[in-house]
Amino acid sequence: MSALIRILTTVGAVGAATAAGALFTFSTFTIEGLRRLPPSQGASAMQSINKQAPTPLFMLVLFGTAAVCVAVGINASLNLDDAASRYQLAACALYIIGVVIVTIGYHVPRNDTLAALDPNSAEGIRYWATYLNEWVPMNHVRTIVPLISAALFTVSLQLN
């Protein structure tokens, strides 16, 4: 493993673990705190969180890690005879699919639907219940997958 790939793998592990930690807060206490509020208040609070979430630093962690995964994954796919590369490729695929694609393809559309509704309306209150039932289980996936990815990156560093 070259020095550059070792550095990128380390950055990938830290980025994936950081993403897992940020998403972990939602799976373990943020959403449960919002669920305890009256529906209109919970929905309104989540609308506010969703507006704040795409900060440059959070986007750097989420999508910067994905960019690192692309670079490491390309290198790994060219060296499949190496056990470390196979772990790296798995880490990269898991992160890109389980975090980036799930976020863009699953969570963002639900966040956009929630954002378009008046949280005090009957429709907004109804959708909040649907949102919680749909959004939360897939957030658990987004929490576990980057944690596994970070572990696979870390294991790959030990193999070389």
Side-chain angles (χ1 to χ4, degrees):
M1 183 182 316
S2 73
L4 176 61
I5 294 302
R6 182 170 282 287
I7 290 167
L8 289 175
T9 299
T10 302
V11 170
V14 171
T18 302
L23 298 167
F24 178 77
T25 66
F26 279 87
S27 283
T28 57
F29 60 86
T30 303
I31 290 294
E32 290 310 310
L34 297 177
R35 192 186 304 264
R36 291 179 182 203
L37 294 171
S40 63
Q41 290 178 14
S44 179
M46 190 65 180
Q47 286 173 330
S48 181
I49 290 168
N50 286 337
K51 281 183 187 175
Q52 183 58 35
T55 62
L57 189 54
F58 184 63
M59 293 296 102
L60 177 64
V61 168
L62 212 63
F63 295 108
T65 302
V68 166
C69 284
V70 170
V72 171
I74 289 170
N75 182 74
S77 69
L78 299 173
N79 297 294
L80 290 176
D81 56 325
D82 179 41
S85 292
R86 292 189 298 272
Y87 279 90
Q88 290 167 337
L89 191 57
C92 294
L94 280 171
Y95 186 87
I96 290 171
I97 293 166
V99 177
V100 176
I101 292 175
V102 169
T103 296
I104 293 169
Y106 190 87
H107 286 92
V108 169
R110 283 157 180 78
N111 292 346
D112 289 346
T113 299
L114 182 65
L117 296 172
D118 176 354
N120 295 304
S121 70
E123 181 183 14
I125 290 169
R126 259 192 318 278
Y127 185 70
W128 177 239
T130 300
Y131 181 91
L132 291 172
N133 288 333
E134 293 178 351
W135 194 95
V136 173
M138 287 303 288
N139 193 68
H140 297 333
V141 170
R142 286 195 310 171
T143 299
I144 294 167
V145 167
L147 191 58
I148 294 168
S149 179
L152 291 170
F153 276 130
T154 302
V155 168
S156 80
L157 290 167
Q158 302 304 310
L159 295 176
N160 238 341

